[in-house]
């Protein structure tokens, strides 16, 4: 199966390539650095305040998606803004996490608590920087119920890595930049387009076709749907159709086994047109590319 997936990946690339196996990339990665970064980020949130902590831990290209839409971190949280005296305590902690086989792209998600009251779930994408530190590149939340989320002392559930793949390199003695991430991004864009076409008539069937058996789905205001048995019921709470726009951004791991995406979403509820953004995390699995985490972030009518 691993060979079949690798050959499929090669077919997606338009440039001449050759493939090599990499023992280092075949090893099981360790998500501990991502979890440690999230916990340190959360600790700074309590110590420094929201704006300071978000700027401290953000990568230069980082974005947040919330009621105001897609924003760069300095626009969402202007640097140097004094911490308001009445700023409520924002707490969050990881309950699920994962990392790519190449070890430089990961995620965590978990409960959020504001002023001691549980209010939903966060979802953060992390990327290792050239100096070895970890910075987040995406942060967003969902108001899916957090009532039954494990406490802050719990250990996160780790997403198992996908099957080992072949690393794809450019030909030539010096130009050997990996192409696996490009092929992965192209493959996922095609699947996003396929999902969008199907969701116009039946979003439930469209999502069920793409969700991983071990995935997570956040649908407000239900608890997170974890695993295939919970997906169908959760999807019934969403409108029957969506109009999803093309992928506007995201990123792929160097190894090409983990991809995150976001784009616009439009739907109708209670006779009113609504809008927002989908955010999805895709993993290359034995069955092909599958969504391992999906959320919908509504946007204010006049952001």
């Amino acid at each position: 199966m691993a060979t079949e997936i690798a050959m499929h990946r090669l077919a997606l690339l338009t440039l001449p390539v050759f493939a090599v196996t990499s023992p280092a990339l075949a090893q099981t990665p360790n998500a501990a650095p991502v979890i440690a970064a999230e916990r340190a980020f959360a600790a700074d949130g309590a110590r420094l305040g929201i704006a300071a902590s978000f700027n401290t831990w953000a990568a230069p290209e980082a974005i947040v998606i919330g009621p105001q839409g897609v924003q760069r971190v300095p626009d969402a949280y202007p640097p140097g803004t004094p911490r308001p005296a009445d700023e409520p305590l924002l707490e969050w902690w990881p309950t699920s996490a994962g990392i790519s086989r190449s070890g430089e792209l990961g995620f965590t998600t978990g409960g959020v608590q504001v002023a001691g009251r549980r209010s939903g779930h966060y979802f953060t994408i992390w990327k290792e920087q050239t100096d070895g530190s970890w910075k987040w590149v995406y942060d967003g939340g969902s108001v899916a119920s957090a009532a039954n989320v494990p406490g802050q002392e719990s250990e996160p559930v780790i997403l198992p890595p996908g099957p080992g793949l072949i690393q794809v390199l450019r030909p030539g003695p010096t130009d050997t930049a990996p192409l696996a991430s490009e092929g992965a991004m192209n493959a996922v864009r095609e699947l996003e387009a396929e999902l969008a076409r199907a969701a116009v008539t039946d979003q439930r069937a469209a999502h069920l076709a793409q969700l991983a058996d071990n995935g997570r789905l956040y649908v407000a205001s239900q608890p997170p749907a974890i695993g295939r048995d919970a997906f169908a019921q959760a999807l019934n709470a969403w409108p029957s159709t969506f109009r999803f726009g093309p992928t506007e951004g995201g990123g792929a791991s160097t190894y090409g086994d983990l991809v995150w995406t976001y784009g616009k979403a439009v739907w109708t509820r209670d006779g009113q047109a609504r809008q927002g953004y989908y955010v999805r995390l895709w993993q290359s699995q034995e069955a092909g590319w599958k969504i391992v985490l999906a959320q919908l972030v509504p946007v204010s009518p006049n952001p």
Side-chain angles (χ1 to χ4, degrees), residues 187-230:
V188 168
R189 284 194 183 100
E190 291 183 7
L191 290 171
E192 291 279 13
E194 179 181 315
L195 193 159
R197 288 190 294 268
V200 172
T201 56
D202 187 347
Q203 67 81 11
R204 184 174 179 273
H207 282 100
L208 287 174
Q210 305 287 9
L211 282 161
D213 290 345
N214 60 343
R216 302 173 69 92
L217 175 66
Y218 291 141
V219 177
S221 54
Q222 301 185 31
I226 303 173
R228 184 155 298 279
D229 291 344

Side-chain angles (χ1 to χ4, degrees), residues 226-241:
I226 303 173
R228 184 155 298 279
D229 291 344
F231 294 152
Q233 181 178 351
L235 289 166
N236 286 336
W238 269 348
S240 59
T241 64

Side-chain angles (χ1 to χ4, degrees), residues 1 11 39 60 75 94 122 132 167 197 209 211 227 252 256 265 288:
M1 179 60 74
R39 285 177 169 156
D75 298 326
Y122 78 88
Q167 185 182 19
R197 288 190 294 268
L211 282 161

